Amino acid sequence: NPSACKIDINGTNQTVSVSSGWCNITNGFLTNLADGNRTINVYANDSTGQFGLNNSYVVFVDATAPVAEFGTNPVDNYNSSSSSITFDLRGYDGISLDDIALYGNWTGSWVANQTNASPINATYWNVTVDNIPQGKWRWAAWANDSHGNQAFTTTNRTFTIDLTNPTSTINAPGNNSFKNSNTPAINITQTDNLDSSITYNIYFNGTINKTGSVSNNTPTNVTLDAQPDGTRLIIVEATDDSGRKINSS
């Protein structure tokens, strides 16, 4: 009967207690092993000092999660006037990459929206998603390997879909009115369904006179740069964060 047993795992010994002539162990802890094939040798010795190899096993260790990464597009806080977005993402694994997926919340839940079941390791996958509804959304990349290890990107990115044009209104002066100043002030209101502020360009006879921004749905006075006497056609253009533009009418 053995008096002691030792388990050798790549040169590290673990002593196992003997009970009723058996070396009993419920869980052998394989600690600090590098990924790859690892050999387990089980030795036993008896009370006379005889020592021998009882059995050998080879186990494959993969304790390292893959890496999920963003590509360039879309950049964080991207604003789009289109409902179609192209996403760049990739996964990397030192042994065997299995799947990568695009996660997002624009369907109402945080779910895998697109999945690539045959990705090329460390190579960007470019996938276009159509019919994304208007709003501000989150997305991330996810990867897993063939041994069940998985990981998301370390952060999420956000993007905004804006399918509605802003509005632009000249409140004063009225059409065909007269001003006795060469630096008149006009009052404008611009609105947008998503943005807190809107960029304006004020044109005098087709040439930009003033550029700035106003708060959403807030009547605002803007003093114009000096103009010579004469009739002027004033147009106020509004531009939202997605690039949608509209002229006053």
Side-chain angles (χ1 to χ4, degrees):
N1 291 333
S3 61
C5 294
K6 288 186 180 296
I7 298 178
D8 174 90
I9 305 172
N10 282 85
T12 300
N13 292 325
Q14 180 176 343
T15 301
V16 179
S17 62
V18 177
S19 176
S20 300
W22 290 91
C23 299
N24 298 312
I25 184 170
T26 301
N27 294 300
F29 298 102
L30 310 181
T31 59
N32 299 319
L33 295 182
D35 290 349
N37 286 317
R38 295 294 174 257
T39 301
I40 302 174
N41 296 315
V42 180
Y43 297 90
N45 76 312
D46 59 23
S47 56
T48 66
Q50 300 297 316
F51 188 81
L53 177 65
N54 181 266
N55 214 332
S56 292
Y57 306 89
V58 175
V59 297
F60 188 84
V61 177
D62 183 5
T64 304
V67 176
E69 293 181 325
F70 295 115
T72 301
N73 298 309
V75 297
D76 197 19
N77 297 312
Y78 179 66
N79 287 283
S80 175
S81 59
S82 169
S83 62
S84 297
I85 298 287
T86 297
F87 298 86
D88 305 336
L89 57 151
R90 70 177 179 180
Y92 168 78
D93 190 76
I95 295 174
S96 178
L97 183 67
D98 197 24
D99 299 300
I100 60 175
L102 164 66
Y103 270 73
N105 68 338
W106 53 88
T107 60
S109 302
W110 180 251
V111 294
N113 185 274
Q114 303 287 325
T115 300
N116 185 346
S118 55
I120 301 173
N121 197 33
T123 300
Y124 283 110
W125 175 43
N126 310 114
V127 57
T128 299
V129 180
D130 299 320
N131 300 316
I132 302 174
Q134 185 167 261
K136 186 173 184 177
W137 310 111
R138 292 184 297 120
W139 73 284
W142 173 89
N144 80 323
D145 64 25
S146 55
H147 300 109
N149 299 304
Q150 57 183 290
F152 279 96
T153 42
T154 56
T155 61
N156 298 324
R157 285 185 179 180
T158 63
F159 65 94
T160 300
I161 300 292
D162 188 352
L163 305 178
T164 305
N165 288 333
T167 69
S168 180
T169 302
I170 301 174
N171 303 314
N175 192 30
N176 294 318
S177 60
F178 293 89
K179 301 294 287 185
N180 59 4
S181 170
N182 292 109
T183 56
I186 68 171
N187 186 274
I188 62 175
T189 298
Q190 297 185 333
T191 67
D192 189 74
N193 61 317
L194 295 175
D195 300 337
S196 60
S197 63
I198 302 101
T199 299
Y200 66 79
N201 287 316
I202 300 176
Y203 292 84
F204 264 28
N205 288 353
T207 300
I208 292 180
N209 181 275
K210 272 295 192 189
T211 296
S213 64
V214 294
S215 296
N216 191 9
N217 200 26
T218 303
T220 303
N221 287 319
V222 180
T223 299
L224 304 176
D225 292 340
Q227 290 289 308
D229 291 347
T231 302
R232 297 290 182 267
L233 173 64
I234 304 173
I235 295 175
V236 181
E237 177 190 67
T239 306
D240 66 18
D241 287 345
S242 71
R244 288 184 170 271
K245 299 177 184 290
I246 198 75
N247 287 337
S248 57
S249 57

